[in-house]
Amino acid sequence: MRRMIATLTGATAAALIVPALATATPANAQSTQTVQTAAADPASALKSQFRVRHGVKLAENTKIIGEGGKNRSIFTRRSGVLEFGRSGMVASDLTTTFGLPTGAGNLKGLFVPSRTLSVKGSSYTSGGIYDDSMPEGKKWLRTKNDAVALVSPYQQMINIVEPATLKSTLTHTAAKRPGGTWDGTRTTVHSGTITLAELYRISPSVRTMLRKKPSGRSATLPVTWKIYLGSDQLVRRVVSSYTESTRGLNSTELTYVNDTRYTDWGVKSAIKAPPAGTVADFDELSIGADQSEDPITQLLTQ
C-alpha cells in the first residue's frame, strides 16, 4: 500500500487554488504580458517569461484507454498555475480530478480529487487516496522531490516549460499547419514523434519521473505530439499520446492521450508551502497491507 500511495501521489499531482495558500490573479493585460521583442524561437520566448512571481495557467485533460477494444477509459483533469523564477519553473499549484469507468466499485475511493503544491523541492498533497490515513489535525502529505516536476505517467510527457526540452522536441517536427486560435492568438501547430529514450535524455522532469534510463523496447517507445505556437512563439497547447505495454503474468496495454492548454502567460503568482502544523510525512501515516495490483491497470483490464 505504501508503494501504491507513493506512485499515485505523483500521478495525481493536484491543486485547487485556495487564496490563503496560493494566489494567482490575472493583472490587466498591460502589466502581466511580457513585451515580446520578436522572439527568434520558442525557447527564447519561453525564457522571456521567467520572471519572479509570474507564471502561466494550465488546464490539462488526460484519457487513459484500456486495451483490446474494451472501451474502458479513465479521464483525469488537472488545472492550476505554474510559477516561474529567473531560470525556470519554481513552483506549481494544481488540482486533479478523475472520471472513472462504470463499475469502478471499491476503487473509486482511490481516485478522489486532490491538490498538490510543489515548492522549494517538496510537494504537499491534500485529499486523494491517503486522506483517511492522515494523522488527526494534519491535512497535507509532504514528499521530497529531486526537482519540481510536472510529468508523471498519467500527465503530459512533453514539458514545454523546460526550454531545452521544447527546443529539442521541435527539432523532430515532421509537419506544420495552421492551428486555429488559442488563448486569443492565432497558432501554428507543429507535429512529430519522439522516443522515450530521447525524452529521458533532454527532459529533467522525465528523468525525475522515470528514475532510470529506459532500455530495450521502452527506449524506442514512440511519443507522438502536437505543439501549438502563437505568433509570439509561446506555446498555447500540447497534445501527446503513447501506448505502454506490459508483458508478464498480467499482460496489458494502456494508451495515454494528454491535451494541455496554456493561458495567461505572465499571470502573477505567489505559491507558498502550507503551515507546518498541518503537514505530515509518510512515516506518520496509518497504512494498511500492500496491494498486489496497480489500481489503474485493475480498472482498465478487469
Side-chain angles (χ1 to χ4, degrees), residues 51-257:
R51 297 184 293 152
V52 175
R53 295 195 175 184
H54 290 78
V56 64
K57 292 182 180 179
L58 174 148
E60 180 175 285
N61 295 326
T62 299
K63 185 177 183 181
I64 310 170
I65 306 167
E67 67 176 335
K70 294 181 180 179
N71 199 29
R72 298 182 61 81
S73 302
I74 294 174
F75 295 91
T76 70
R77 291 176 174 84
R78 198 169 63 128
S79 62
V81 175
L82 313 180
E83 184 177 317
F84 301 134
R86 291 185 176 89
S87 59
M89 195 187 83
V90 297
S92 62
D93 184 354
L94 300 167
T95 293
T96 298
T97 59
F98 292 88
L100 301 177
T102 303
N106 294 334
L107 293 178
K108 285 184 177 180
L110 300 178
F111 297 93
V112 299
S114 58
R115 175 191 181 189
T116 294
L117 307 173
S118 292
V119 59
K120 294 184 178 179
S122 295
S123 291
Y124 305 86
T125 306
S126 179
I129 62 172
Y130 42 79
D131 196 44
D132 291 339
S133 302
M134 295 288 286
E136 186 176 355
K138 301 295 180 72
K139 181 180 178 181
W140 299 89
L141 177 64
R142 174 171 50 202
T143 55
K144 294 290 186 179
N145 297 329
D146 294 332
V148 178
L150 292 177
V151 180
S152 82
Y154 315 117
Q155 295 165 1
Q156 183 58 256
M157 290 290 287
I158 310 297
N159 189 348
I160 61 87
V161 299
E162 298 171 347
T165 299
L166 176 59
K167 182 176 181 178
S168 295
T169 301
L170 287 170
T171 65
H172 295 268
T173 297
K176 292 192 295 184
R177 60 177 177 79
T181 299
W182 297 96
D183 191 31
T185 186
R186 290 184 180 274
T187 65
T188 299
V189 56
H190 297 236
S191 58
T193 301
I194 190 170
T195 66
L196 188 60
E198 178 68 2
L199 276 175
Y200 182 90
R201 184 184 70 81
I202 64 177
S203 175
S205 57
V206 171
R207 289 195 294 271
T208 298
M209 181 266 288
L210 294 181
R211 299 181 181 233
K212 65 178 182 179
K213 185 177 181 179
S215 60
R217 184 180 299 176
S218 294
T220 59
L221 176 73
V223 178
T224 60
W225 54 267
K226 295 178 181 178
I227 296 177
Y228 293 69
L229 295 174
S231 57
D232 54 7
Q233 297 295 291
L234 292 172
V235 176
R236 294 319 201 281
R237 184 183 182 193
V238 180
V239 181
S240 69
S241 65
Y242 65 97
T243 298
E244 180 183 57
S245 298
T246 302
R247 295 294 174 241
L249 293 176
N250 295 311
S251 296
T252 187
E253 193 170 85
L254 301 179
T255 298
Y256 301 83
V257 182

